[in-house]
């Protein structure tokens, strides 16, 4: 059973980040599978907890990568991560408080769809392409 699947359009071409993105998709699927298989609340909660922690870990790794290459929109991207992290925590708290009520699961699923397929992904993909094949200037983003 797959809720979200890895698609080539999600590929950034940076192995570390792509591996972490695939792991996030696996964590999301594990959470929904646990819920749909009617695992006990503790197991579903553990899957959600892992998703929360791994997401924050990934955001830190992605931001470190951006700092390393002087990504000019780093602060904007960091603000998006902060917002996504806050929203993830909000949905997680609501899910657990409702004991994973179906309507809260639907809300969470919609949230994840907008996060995973966010419009800013294309801009970030272009940046990763530039980092892998930097122009012949000093620095990656500085002239």
């Amino acid at each position: 059973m797959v809720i979200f699947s890895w698609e080539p359009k999600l590929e950034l071409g940076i192995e570390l980040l792509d591996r972490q993105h695939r792991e996030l998709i696996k964590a999301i699927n594990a959470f929904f599978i646990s819920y749909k298989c009617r695992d006990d609340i503790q197991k579903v909660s553990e899957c959600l907890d892992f998703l929360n922690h791994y997401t924050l870990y990934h955001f830190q790794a992605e931001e470190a990568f951006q700092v390393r290459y002087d990504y000019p929109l780093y602060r904007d991207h960091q603000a998006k991560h902060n917002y996504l992290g806050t929203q993830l925590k909000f949905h997680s708290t609501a899910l657990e408080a409702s004991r994973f009520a179906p309507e809260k699961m639907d809300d969470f699923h919609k949230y994840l769809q907008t996060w995973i397929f966010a419009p800013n992904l294309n801009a970030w993909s272009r940046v990763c392409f530039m980092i892998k094949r930097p122009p012949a200037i000093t620095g990656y983003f500085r002239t």
Side-chain angles (χ1 to χ4, degrees):
M1 176 186 316
V2 174
I3 309 302
F4 290 101
S5 59
W6 181 257
E7 300 175 14
K9 72 179 181 181
L10 299 174
E11 196 82 27
L12 297 174
I14 306 294
E15 182 54 36
L16 171 69
L17 300 180
D18 287 337
R19 187 174 56 247
Q20 289 181 359
H21 288 154
R22 286 189 293 273
E23 188 65 31
L24 281 169
I25 299 278
K26 281 174 46 178
I28 290 167
N29 285 332
F31 167 72
F32 280 103
I33 289 167
S34 180
Y35 171 77
K36 287 185 179 274
C37 290
R38 300 180 191 272
D39 284 343
D40 65 66
I41 296 273
Q42 180 63 33
K43 178 151 184 334
V44 177
S45 189
E46 287 171 7
C47 288
L48 183 60
D49 190 48
F50 176 80
L51 176 59
N52 274 283
H53 284 92
Y54 195 84
T55 297
L56 296 178
Y57 165 77
H58 166 67
F59 286 172
Q60 290 171 350
E62 199 171 82
E63 290 168 13
F65 184 86
Q66 292 172 353
V67 167
R68 178 178 177 203
Y69 290 100
D70 295 313
Y71 179 43
L73 299 176
Y74 160 70
R75 292 285 180 208
D76 292 340
H77 202 87
Q78 184 184 44
K80 287 177 185 169
H81 280 168
N82 290 340
Y83 175 76
L84 289 170
T86 300
Q87 289 296 303
L88 181 61
K89 190 64 179 164
F90 168 80
H91 283 285
S92 297
T93 301
L95 279 169
E96 289 184 329
S98 74
R99 300 189 54 79
F100 302 95
E103 63 275 3
K104 295 296 182 190
M105 291 296 289
D106 289 342
D107 290 345
F108 189 56
H109 186 265
K110 288 175 190 166
Y111 159 73
L112 290 172
Q113 282 181 310
T114 59
W115 168 32
I116 292 171
F117 301 107
N120 66 331
L121 182 62
N122 288 333
W124 182 219
S125 295
R126 286 191 297 277
V127 168
C128 288
F129 179 80
M130 290 170 56
I131 289 170
K132 289 188 336 186
R133 293 173 183 76
I137 58 173
T138 55
Y140 290 103
F141 294 105
R142 291 185 271 185
T143 55

